[in-house]
Amino acid sequence: MSPFKYGCTVSDEFFCPRPELERRLAGHIKSGQHVAVVGPRRTGKSSLVLETARKAKGYSLFHVDFLDVRSRAEMCKRMVASLSRLEATDSWFSKMMKMLVRLRPTLSIDPRDGSPTICIDTREAAALGSLDCILDALVAQTARRKVCVVLDEFQDIMDLDDGENVLAIMRSRIQLDSRTPYIFLGSVRHKMLDIFLDSRSPFYHGAALFDVGDIKADDFYRFLCRRFAVGRRSFPRESFDAIAAAVRNTPGYIQEVSDALWQSSKAGDTLQVSDIAKSLDVIFARESEHYSFAIRQLTALQVQVLTAISTRGGKEIYSGDFLTAASVKSTASVKRAMSRLIDEGLVYFTDGEYRIDNPFFAEWVKRR
Ligand SMILES: Nc1ncnc2c1ncn2[C@@H]1O[C@H](COP(=O)(O)OP(=O)(O)O)[C@@H](O)[C@H]1O
Ligand SMILES: [Mg+2]
């Protein structure tokens, strides 16, 4: 079995310790300070926060992920499922069933891990007042015991039809819950800043910003060497540096390449820089169907713009040079294409340039 994990949160031996961040975050949890952890996807926000919250002595964990949530009903359902995981005892389930009786809860099994969970009917979940009822149940718990509340991909709430209203309801409850640490995580920077730094937002100044940055190269290198050593592979520093540079130090992508290197090597091997290209082929073989699917969802114009970013880079995309590279006639067309590419999460803007979010997808597009 591969000693590497990517595309999920990591814990225990799969988690490379980040002692400084863990210490600072643990301090915020203890003092009940609300924090907003903002940073690109796959940089280890969820893993860091969950690992730290799990280690916080005496705290129960309430974790709900709002990624791609489409309606208030779905949001309520996710929150109820998270509430039911606050404690793994029969008495807790019966208590929850009573507290949420208005929402007609039923016991069911979580298909992901077979654990018991509580479901609520979609119609009940969509009813006005159900969110208040769930927040009341949560706050009733935080008044009684120490709970660390983790709200993941929080910015996706803004995309609900009544997102502003939902945020206002949440803020009004959270405001009364001053001793409980609320940790808001978000991968879409501008949306998170709108929520926490715009004076018109209900969450204006509602949390201290917390940046996770990169995992220290020396620490991550040592961590990966130990993982490779489990299967007697040696991993020279220059191979690590080459991978890290290619994927802009993103831990999730570094682990993905490491896993591909692992799959295409055997005990006793040394993983050279020259092996990295081979590992990309492993990744393309695994992912090409997803990549082709993503491409098929786009118009010809959008594909041209995406391809131009992959070959030429995403600086000055309204220049004549870019238009030529993309074979596009007008800047208006580029603008239209970009808007869709950004909405789809394929491209994002940072440090004065547009970038393709996934570096492997970018390379695949470039080679097409
Ligand atoms: N501390 C860490 N140690 C080892 N790998 C990590 C660490 N943090 C992140 N990763 C890698 O990044 C991937 C994504 O982590 P995750 O916490 O889900 O990031 P985010 O929440 O920022 O999207 C993980 O599957 C793992 O491969
Ligand atoms: Mg996450």
Side-chain angles (χ1 to χ4, degrees), residues 311-364:
T311 51
R312 176 201 165 276
K315 279 189 185 147
E316 291 163 12
I317 59 165
Y318 301 115
S319 64
D321 175 51
F322 188 88
L323 295 187
T324 309
S327 317
V328 176
K329 287 213 182 70
S330 70
T331 53
S333 304
V334 175
K335 227 176 231 162
R336 249 186 301 130
M338 285 309 289
S339 150
R340 169 85 193 281
L341 294 172
I342 292 168
D343 274 354
E344 291 297 315
L346 295 174
V347 169
Y348 68 101
F349 185 77
T350 187
D351 296 336
E353 67 173 316
Y354 289 92
R355 284 184 190 160
I356 297 177
D357 179 53
N358 180 324
F360 311 130
F361 180 56
E363 183 60 27
W364 183 85

Side-chain angles (χ1 to χ4, degrees), residues 244-290:
V247 301
R248 297 202 161 87
N249 294 320
T250 311
Y253 293 131
I254 296 176
Q255 288 241 36
E256 192 167 349
V257 178
S258 300
D259 180 71
L261 276 173
W262 168 274
Q263 302 293 352
S264 49
S265 60
K266 57 184 189 316
D269 283 355
T270 295
L271 306 167
Q272 310 285 3
V273 174
S274 55
D275 297 321
I276 297 172
K278 235 182 352 195
S279 76
L280 263 187
D281 293 332
V282 173
I283 293 173
F284 291 158
R286 276 182 200 156
E287 299 295 330
S288 66
E289 267 192 54
H290 291 125

Side-chain angles (χ1 to χ4, degrees), residues 5-10 14-18 39-48 152-153 185 187 212 215 220 223 250-253 255-256:
K5 281 193 183 182
Y6 57 92
C8 54
T9 57
V10 286
F14 291 96
F15 179 83
C16 170
R18 308 179 75 172
R41 279 190 217 291
R42 301 184 181 84
T43 50
K45 302 179 298 298
S46 303
S47 303
L48 171 78
D152 214 337
E153 299 299 352
L185 287 84
S187 300
V212 296
I215 300 181
F220 205 29
F223 165 83
T250 311
Y253 293 131
Q255 288 241 36
E256 192 167 349

Side-chain angles (χ1 to χ4, degrees), residues 106-126:
T106 48
L107 265 182
S108 73
I109 297 293
D110 188 329
R112 289 169 305 180
D113 59 4
S115 62
T117 183
I118 293 180
C119 260
I120 53 173
D121 182 67
T122 303
R123 223 172 5 168
E124 294 298 335

